[in-house]
Amino acid sequence: MTEVAEHFRPLLGDNRCLTDADSLARYGVDWTKVWAPAPSAVLLPETIEEVQEIVRLANEHGIALVPSGGRTGLSAGAVAADGEVVIAFDRMNKILDFEPFERSVTVQPGVVTQQLQEFADEQGLFYPVDFASAGSSQIGGNIGTNAGGIKVIRYGMTRDWVSGLKVVTGKGELLELNKGLAKNATGYDFRHLFIGSEGTLGLVVEATIQLARKPRDLTVLVLGCPGFRDVMNVLHSFQEKIDLTAFEFFSDKAMHHVLAHGVARPFDTEAPFYCLLEFEGDSPQVLEDAMGIFESCVEKGWVLDGAMSQSLQQAEQLWQLRERISESISVYTPYKNDISVTVGKVPDFVEEVDAVVQDNYPDFEIVWFGHIGDGNMHLNILKPDALDKDEFFQRCNHVSRWVFEIVQKYNGSISAEHGVGRTKKPYLQYSRSAEEIAAMKAVKAVFDPNGIMNPGKLFDL
């Protein structure tokens, strides 16, 4: 460990080349619980030039590098469990430039997502990529996993908001990709290779992010539905007349855990499924349309009860029903699957997956929630108190294979927004063909010929 660190200490000094036990335990991890962190050192660069020199030294000495952002990932993409050196971007956390005419902002990779959201708000604008970990996740990590979240139905993924990147490749070269241009028809757009590449091609060291106008008078509806297909009917009914900014769903079991966590019940009627939808209620006509759709859904038996926000504070309170699910079930060591299919296939897909899990593991509690408006479901299997953690994860691995076989049958994705990392690497073939995986490996060889960039993630060479 000392020998590895000494390669970088002359560049960064003792304060930014860390080998103490606390730092090694704090970095090189994410929110997964399967692998214990075991990095050789933690590096804290402050400039692009330092990042390039780190990569050059790593190539020279055959040292594997793992990028680390806010450490909120859910696929072990930032885990350093095999003596790798962690590059943490905590000190590259500045907002560098703002272009009001372009509505764009240039940031370093360590800028926290919420920090960017607040900066946009100060400019009278809006950064729409949002999720529960926005207060700690970093933009570099968002780009590395192509993060999604709760607004994808209206605003898309991180990819849709990145207009330029500076990256340091696995060879130490600095590439400036697309330069913030709205139109650029000059061949391959390597920007999109690096977005979602999980640090396996190189390191994001600067990003130009587009901003949007602020949404006006956001209104939230929470509805209770008797069946899952009723949730889908509600989605279709609202989308026919209203441009939704979010459409989320969660099961009664998810509701139970959130209520036990201190969130207020939205209405007295209990339901097997719930949906939360958000839209801009910026005119009397939109609000009238929303109420008309709600009443129609009740008449057709698709909705049992509902609640609509009357203020920003009430909207935020209703969002707690969805946003605090992960927090409320975290004490049960959940095994998470983040899967997606096209929206029209969702009902059949969910029913088939649920039946397989329930039939084979009736002692496991299954908690469903997700961004159903874009076909993304989160399947959470909760560990029984009496079951050993290792045995639980082993049994869940069998569940995952069955689930991913169904994903493959429906031409879906084994990872909708959390990345592949280490946890889903064994299952990549369920979403990608052998030819695609071979092409990915060939691309990696171009940008990272010595295989030092986040090895063991996404696929094995």
Side-chain angles (χ1 to χ4, degrees):
M1 184 181 299
T2 303
E3 181 181 346
V4 169
E6 289 309 311
H7 295 306
F8 304 99
R9 206 175 297 281
L11 174 67
L12 300 175
D14 293 339
N15 292 334
R16 296 191 289 126
C17 180
L18 309 178
T19 56
D20 61 284
D22 288 344
S23 295
L24 297 180
R26 185 158 56 96
Y27 292 90
V29 297
D30 62 8
W31 282 357
T32 55
K33 309 291 185 183
V34 182
W35 293 275
S40 294
V42 177
L43 309 181
L44 294 163
E46 294 180 348
T47 68
I48 292 174
E49 292 75 19
E50 286 181 346
V51 174
Q52 288 184 274
E53 183 62 12
I54 289 169
V55 174
R56 187 191 69 77
L57 289 168
N59 274 291
E60 180 180 338
H61 299 287
I63 298 170
L65 301 174
V66 174
S68 177
R71 299 173 286 283
T72 60
L74 292 167
S75 293
V79 169
D82 300 310
E84 305 97 330
V85 167
V86 171
I87 301 182
F89 289 96
D90 296 31
R91 297 201 181 193
M92 295 181 68
N93 60 356
K94 297 180 179 62
I95 293 175
L96 301 174
D97 189 30
F98 172 61
E99 292 288 346
F101 288 106
E102 303 292 339
R103 293 204 299 198
S104 69
V105 56
T106 301
V107 302
Q108 292 183 309
V111 167
V112 172
T113 310
Q114 184 175 324
Q115 179 186 352
L116 176 56
Q117 292 170 339
E118 291 172 352
F119 176 85
D121 187 65
E122 291 167 3
Q123 314 308 316
L125 295 169
F126 180 59
Y127 181 58
V129 180
D130 195 14
F131 32 78
S133 63
S136 50
S137 72
Q138 295 178 4
I139 295 299
N142 296 172
I143 292 169
T145 57
N146 188 28
I150 58 178
K151 307 281 189 180
V152 172
I153 189 174
R154 173 74 173 271
Y155 295 104
M157 307 280 282
T158 296
R159 179 184 306 281
D160 298 294
W161 298 92
V162 178
S163 58
L165 283 179
K166 285 185 181 179
V167 299
V168 173
T169 72
K171 294 190 288 187
E173 299 170 336
L174 178 65
L175 302 181
E176 189 170 358
L177 308 175
N178 197 59
K179 302 177 181 179
L181 295 170
K183 301 180 77 172
N184 182 8
T186 54
Y188 306 134
D189 190 344
F190 292 137
R191 167 185 46 149
H192 290 294
L193 282 177
F194 282 83
I195 299 171
S197 67
E198 302 183 40
T200 60
L201 303 179
L203 304 166
V204 173
V205 291
E206 196 174 291
T208 301
I209 307 293
Q210 297 302 128
L211 305 176
R213 71 160 178 85
K214 281 185 181 182
R216 294 182 285 265
D217 299 317
L218 287 175
T219 302
V220 175
L221 264 172
V222 174
L223 308 175
C225 299
F228 186 77
R229 291 181 183 274
D230 300 313
V231 173
M232 301 305 295
N233 288 331
V234 171
L235 170 62
H236 180 68
S237 297
F238 274 91
Q239 280 191 308
E240 281 188 323
K241 287 191 173 182
I242 295 175
D243 292 326
L244 300 176
T245 55
F247 191 96
E248 303 285 301
F249 94 106
F250 45 98
S251 66
D252 56 344
K253 292 179 180 179
M255 173 71 88
H256 168 77
H257 287 290
V258 169
L259 296 179
H261 217 62
V263 180
R265 181 181 290 278
F267 41 77
D268 292 334
T269 307
E270 295 186 3
F273 295 96
Y274 298 86
C275 57
L276 181 152
L277 54 101
E278 180 189 76
F279 58 91
E280 292 184 86
D282 55 350
S283 73
Q285 184 61 54
V286 172
L287 295 173
E288 184 179 328
D289 287 344
M291 286 305 301
I293 299 167
F294 166 71
E295 291 167 0
S296 174
C297 289
V298 171
E299 290 173 3
K300 293 175 180 176
W302 299 340
V303 170
L304 301 175
D305 205 344
M308 179 186 285
S309 65
Q310 302 299 317
S311 66
L312 179 60
Q313 182 180 7
Q314 288 181 359
E316 292 173 348
Q317 289 172 346
L318 291 175
W319 262 114
Q320 293 296 302
L321 293 164
R322 168 61 183 86
E323 291 183 334
R324 294 184 65 180
I325 295 174
S326 291
E327 177 186 351
S328 69
I329 65 174
S330 62
V331 295
Y332 299 97
T333 314
Y335 185 88
K336 295 174 174 287
N337 267 311
D338 158 44
I339 47 187
S340 66
V341 294
T342 55
V343 177
K345 297 176 182 177
V346 165
D348 292 338
F349 174 76
V350 169
E351 288 177 2
E352 197 164 335
V353 170
D354 200 54
V356 165
V357 180
Q358 296 283 6
D359 289 348
N360 287 278
Y361 294 105
D363 54 330
F364 288 172
E365 181 179 353
I366 310 302
V367 176
W368 284 98
F369 65 91
H371 322 295
I372 202 166
D374 51 59
N376 177 194
M377 286 75 63
H378 297 299
L379 167 65
N380 296 265
I381 305 172
L382 307 190
K383 185 183 80 66
D385 291 338
L387 188 62
D388 175 75
K389 185 178 78 170
D390 291 338
E391 182 182 349
F392 171 66
F393 282 130
Q394 185 176 11
R395 292 173 68 182
C396 285
N397 284 333
H398 293 296
V399 174
S400 287
R401 291 194 181 277
W402 298 329
V403 170
F404 294 152
E405 286 173 1
I406 300 172
V407 169
Q408 186 177 43
K409 171 184 171 182
Y410 283 87
N411 291 320
S413 173
I414 62 166
S415 182
E417 60 179 358
H418 293 163
V420 175
R422 293 180 68 145
T423 61
K424 294 190 176 181
K425 179 177 64 175
Y427 313 111
L428 184 61
Q429 71 272 15
Y430 289 101
S431 286
R432 298 287 196 169
S433 68
E435 292 78 10
E436 285 180 293
I437 295 172
M440 288 189 214
K441 292 179 179 180
V443 168
K444 180 172 173 63
V446 171
F447 291 100
D448 180 30
N450 294 322
I452 66 166
M453 300 307 305
N454 214 8
K457 316 295 167 52
L458 194 57
F459 47 70
D460 290 319
L461 295 176

